[in-house]
Amino acid sequence: EAAVTQSPRNKVTVTGGNVTLSCRQTNSHNYMYWYRQDTGHGLRLIHYSYGAGNLQIGDVPDGYKATRTTQEDFFLLLELASPSQTSLYFCASSDVGGGQNTLYFGAGTRLSVL
Amino acid sequence: QQQVRQSPQSLTVWEGETAILNCSYENSAFDYFPWYQQFPGEGPALLISILSVSDKKEDGRFTIFFNKREKKLSLHIADSQPGDSATYFCAASMTNSAGNKLTFGIGTRVLVRP
């Protein structure tokens, strides 16, 4: 079974702060994704990547940067955090893109921006 | 604009009843529809999925009914158990799209009372 580990599990920062959320998957999946989950909006795609050094823009990218340093590691960066970015963030991975591939999600990082 | 709509937002059923979760979509190019199940404190996990060439998919107590003409589908949970209490997300994608970009609905929160 795919293993996706996110850290930290909880994070509190202040407006204007700098935050990095980390994600590691240990199943050699090519694709990795960052989603945010908000009540009334479901899961929305922020950024995704199909390999080390690659980055694709998702549906709600404003205010976020991401970097895929290795096949295993995908980071989400908030360089000037705002209260609107208070959310539950999920990382996911999948084997290949397209088709009927299954997304494997981590347990999430709850971020509060005060 | 919500491309994938779910209703109701929350649903309470008694143990043993059938829970019915509804989903509709806008984009006629969507042809793959997975349902993800999420328990509190966890990430979503794939429960069951269907391709648009089928009108029904069963997996144990879980059944998807699909109506391509009306762009609607539903998830039926037969003989509901308290352990089925979770949030269920309907999602959609195009199987020929790169990155398996799933579009999620806002979710239906199901509570099964013993």
Side-chain angles (χ1 to χ4, degrees), chain B residues 75-110:
Chain B
L75 174 68
H76 292 223
I77 307 174
D79 187 25
S80 296
Q81 302 297 309
D84 297 330
S85 297
T87 299
Y88 293 82
F89 291 99
C90 174
S93 73
M94 294 173 274
T95 54
N96 62 355
S97 71
N100 193 23
K101 285 182 61 178
L102 282 173
T103 299
F104 287 85
I106 65 172
T108 294
R109 190 170 183 176
V110 175

Side-chain angles (χ1 to χ4, degrees), chain A residues 23-50:
Chain A
C23 178
R24 166 165 284 198
Q25 55 97 2
T26 58
N27 288 278
S28 302
H29 284 174
N30 292 316
Y31 282 79
M32 296 185 74
Y33 310 80
W34 278 107
Y35 285 87
R36 61 177 290 173
Q37 182 177 356
D38 304 284
T39 303
H41 292 280
L43 291 150
R44 293 180 290 174
L45 181 64
I46 303 171
H47 290 299
Y48 66 104
S49 165
Y50 55 72

